[in-house]
Amino acid sequence: MVVYDPAAASQQRDAKRARRPSADAGAVVPYDVQPINAVPLKAIASRLPRLAPAPAVPEEPPCLRRHILPALGLRDDLPVHFIDRKRVTGTDLDAHQNRFRIPTDGVLGRLRPILTPEELDAASLLHDPAPRPRRRPEPDELENIAAGDDSEAEHQEQGQTARKKRQGRRHGGLPVRLVDLAAGASGELLLSRWESTGGTVVKGEGYMGFVRRCSFREDDAVEIWAFKQRAVRLFGAAVCDESHLHLLIVRRGGSQSQRSSSASTAHAKSEG
């Protein structure tokens, strides 16, 4: 026989109520918090400067390792780096300009990493942007400064300084050789970045003679490849010597004028 105990039943009911979750246990408690002043990621991305996409690296010229490198006296397993593409401009072939310009994106993104700090410094590529030269006083300013000085020796020194200023400042550069399939290799030229415009050019005596022998003409699309042999010594003996930096200019396809002429000829034939 089961005896009903009211006190025990009351304790069981209280224990069950204690185990049940409260109705307010999962309620969201409001907080007095100010909204976050966030900027959408798309808005931030639109403000960032967009870099020009790197051009796809083309295949190496087929005759590079079989003919060009051995003809230059270089190892045929030399690392060869694609620098950039460009169209030959009239200024690249102008005797008054006397220089070949290398695209800035290719210089900064692909040519600089393969050069040593000493080579970068020689080409004015070590610092970005290129350091600007300190302003020198003009000849008129030098004359005004020394106007009150009656010393003949100082007047002669001022005249020499003025003549040097009129002659201009000599620009150095990194020794480099240009290479063309038709013209071969040039003599020693100089690779340098201009401090005024930031453009990187190859210049020097003998440049125009080399360009006249080259296979490319104005408006031709060309690729620029760079390679340089580093000196290697094994057990104290020289395995290979250091070479100049070489820039190979390879003509790809025809010029714009040639394509326009071909298109006009094809159109005339189709009408006939």
Side-chain angles (χ1 to χ4, degrees):
M1 182 177 66
V2 179
V3 179
Y4 176 73
D5 186 357
S10 177
Q11 291 177 358
Q12 291 178 359
R13 286 194 298 269
D14 293 341
K16 289 181 180 180
R17 292 193 187 99
R19 289 195 297 268
R20 291 177 183 174
S22 174
D24 297 334
V28 178
V29 179
Y31 289 91
D32 186 13
V33 179
Q34 296 295 329
I36 299 175
N37 187 16
V39 179
L41 294 178
K42 292 182 179 180
I44 297 176
S46 61
R47 301 175 190 171
L48 297 176
R50 296 184 178 180
L51 299 177
V57 178
E59 294 183 0
E60 293 181 356
C63 57
L64 174 63
R65 300 192 180 277
R66 183 176 298 179
H67 300 290
I68 297 177
L69 294 179
L72 296 172
L74 304 176
R75 304 193 328 263
D76 58 2
D77 61 344
L78 205 64
V80 178
H81 308 271
F82 171 71
I83 302 302
D84 214 331
R85 298 182 180 91
K86 67 166 288 181
R87 285 204 173 273
V88 179
T89 64
T91 55
D92 292 325
L93 309 176
D94 187 1
H96 295 286
Q97 298 287 338
N98 193 38
R99 92 290 183 279
F100 186 87
R101 182 157 185 162
I102 311 297
T104 300
D105 290 342
V107 171
L108 299 182
R110 291 172 287 279
L111 181 59
R112 283 209 307 190
I114 68 175
L115 301 178
T116 65
E118 292 77 12
E119 293 166 347
L120 292 171
D121 186 50
S124 299
L125 293 171
L126 183 59
H127 303 284
D128 193 17
R132 299 182 66 86
R134 296 179 60 183
R135 179 180 176 274
R136 297 183 181 181
E138 298 293 335
D140 295 339
E141 295 177 359
L142 293 175
E143 294 175 0
N144 293 333
I145 293 174
D149 197 338
D150 297 330
S151 173
E152 183 178 355
E154 291 188 2
H155 280 294
Q156 293 177 354
E157 183 178 357
Q158 292 164 9
Q160 293 175 358
T161 305
R163 285 194 296 272
K164 290 180 181 179
K165 179 64 180 180
R166 294 190 190 100
Q167 291 174 359
R169 185 172 62 88
R170 287 183 173 271
H171 292 270
L174 174 67
V176 64
R177 299 178 71 185
L178 295 179
V179 183
D180 176 76
L181 298 181
S186 69
E188 182 179 293
L189 302 173
L190 295 175
L191 174 74
S192 180
R193 178 164 60 177
W194 282 340
E195 297 170 346
S196 57
T197 63
T200 304
V201 300
V202 176
K203 55 188 175 59
E205 185 178 355
Y207 168 76
M208 288 308 302
F210 169 78
V211 166
R212 293 189 185 100
R213 304 192 308 269
C214 286
S215 58
F216 54 81
R217 297 292 180 265
E218 185 175 354
D219 287 334
D220 280 349
V222 296
E223 295 172 357
I224 303 172
W225 297 79
F227 47 90
K228 179 179 173 65
Q229 181 171 279
R230 301 292 179 182
V232 177
R233 299 183 65 85
L234 184 62
F235 298 110
V239 177
C240 58
D241 297 326
E242 189 91 2
S243 76
H244 284 81
L245 172 67
H246 291 77
L247 295 179
L248 172 64
I249 304 173
V250 182
R251 180 173 174 267
R252 295 290 192 182
S255 64
Q256 289 179 336
S257 59
Q258 290 174 342
R259 286 194 295 271
S260 300
S261 176
S262 300
S264 301
T265 304
H267 181 68
K269 289 182 179 179
S270 63
E271 288 183 349

